Amino acid sequence: QVQLVESGGGLVQAGGSLRLSCAASGRTFSSYAMGWFRQAPGKEREFVVGVAAIAGRTYYADSVKGRFTISRDNAKNTVYLQMNSLRPEDTAVYYCAADRVSLGYRVDEYDYWGQGTQVTVSS
């Protein structure tokens, strides 16, 4: 059982940076793969990036690769999303999610979700 709470969203100018945090509760946090998804108005929720539980392998969507970086600190039960070179099209609600089985890329593969944090990028 995992509870997730995102923070760090806000308004930033194009080209700027922002770091999102996802704090998790649960004694088995380190055994979960973690992912970030986002959903813009009128769009489907899409996979952004995920990180495996133990090996720490990552998987990025093409749209963010080279600009975004995921990391996790199991000692703090926290996963981060560092976002650089932000663009207006990155504007969305960002969600943190946990996958108890393995690193996935589909919404329905994840078992636990945070409530989301708004990221708005102005031009």
Side-chain angles (χ1 to χ4, degrees):
Q1 188 70 241
V2 176
Q3 301 292 320
L4 306 173
V5 180
E6 303 99 332
S7 63
L11 176 65
V12 64
Q13 295 181 32
S17 298
L18 204 61
R19 188 175 79 159
L20 306 183
S21 298
C22 175
S25 63
R27 59 190 296 272
T28 60
F29 169 78
S30 63
S31 69
Y32 287 81
M34 302 296 297
W36 288 95
F37 291 75
R38 67 186 183 185
Q39 187 167 21
K43 304 292 185 180
E44 298 289 330
R45 188 171 299 185
E46 66 175 352
F47 174 80
V48 177
V49 61
V51 58
I54 299 174
R57 294 180 178 179
T58 57
Y59 198 27
Y60 291 84
D62 289 342
S63 60
V64 305
K65 192 165 188 175
R67 299 188 297 120
F68 291 11
T69 303
I70 191 171
S71 62
R72 67 189 298 164
D73 186 340
N74 288 340
K76 296 183 181 297
N77 283 6
T78 302
V79 63
Y80 304 94
L81 181 63
Q82 178 66 46
M83 304 184 292
N84 299 326
S85 301
L86 283 163
R87 305 164 180 168
E89 54 264 40
D90 294 318
T91 295
V93 176
Y94 283 71
Y95 297 90
C96 175
D99 185 347
R100 68 177 178 83
V101 178
S102 62
L103 176 60
Y105 57 90
R106 293 177 57 187
V107 169
D108 60 5
E109 292 180 287
Y110 283 76
D111 303 287
Y112 305 101
W113 293 84
Q115 55 189 290
T117 186
Q118 177 71 47
V119 172
T120 302
V121 184
S122 62
S123 59

